[in-house]
Amino acid sequence: MPTRTLSNALVCLAFVASLNAASPIAAQPESANPAIELPPVFEVIENLKEGGFIMMIRHERTEMPSRADDYTQPPSECRAQRNLSVAGVVGAHENGGLIRAAGIPVSRVISSPMCRAAETARYMFGVDYTTDARLMHHDPAENSDRPLEQAAQETAELVRELAPLSDEGNIALISHGGNIFEGTGLRLSEGEVGILGLDDSGQATPIGQFTGSTLGFYVRMKQAEEAKAEAE
């Protein structure tokens, strides 16, 4: 082999050896790989399985761009509102299935009468739900009879009426982003679930929140644990 070729080959071998030596994957024994750290919200989900909480749910994803809500029309007139998108309809079905798969009991469902909230309730939990105008979206028009402050007060009032809660299940409330945040302190994305704990006086404490993706991860983890236990 010519001297230059041999020299180049030795340089390449030395470079590869240096990469292997510096690689953290090659240097660490298999036992040093860290375990997966589960998110703290998994503990919240476990607590939900015992009942006694309010699941404050913002309606599922909506059409964007979309028509503005016409507050001169009744809340049941879907053609005068921003409505669920196709993704929102599918997401509501999927998240309802995940709630059941996770073993989370829901004893009562109350929704805003507006179409995007009522449809979220129906697709998630079935037809056995009621509506309450106190969960309805605020009217953003100037000098309206129901501004955001009023909507938030009414949402908080309904929450107080639900205390004390039964340990037999959880209560699901489906409402809108502004009055949920102003009335409970939970800042939720469309389709996200927030958890409230109530004391006997109706004082609400935000405990956590999660998306359908997080709940899906939890369900898959639990199913894998059950499958492993059955195989042993």
Side-chain angles (χ1 to χ4, degrees), residues 13 24 41 45 56 59-61 71 81 85 101 131 177 217 230:
L13 287 174
V41 72
I45 296 173
M56 181 64 75
H59 62 78
E60 258 291 352
R61 287 160 287 179
Y71 289 89
Q81 302 172 30
S85 64
T131 61
F217 180 27
E230 291 177 359

Side-chain angles (χ1 to χ4, degrees), residues 107-166:
S107 56
R108 188 178 178 189
V109 180
I110 309 172
S111 171
S112 157
M114 297 187 76
C115 294
R116 55 185 177 270
E119 289 179 352
T120 298
R122 183 166 70 253
Y123 293 138
M124 287 186 75
F125 301 107
V127 297
D128 190 19
Y129 69 92
T130 59
T131 61
D132 193 307
R134 288 174 290 181
L135 292 172
M136 185 170 163
H137 194 281
H138 68 282
D139 184 350
E142 188 176 356
N143 300 322
S144 72
D145 293 332
R146 195 167 185 273
L148 177 57
E149 295 77 9
Q150 179 68 23
Q153 290 173 9
E154 292 179 2
T155 298
E157 175 186 287
L158 175 59
V159 167
R160 286 193 298 271
E161 284 186 8
L162 297 174
L165 298 175
S166 169

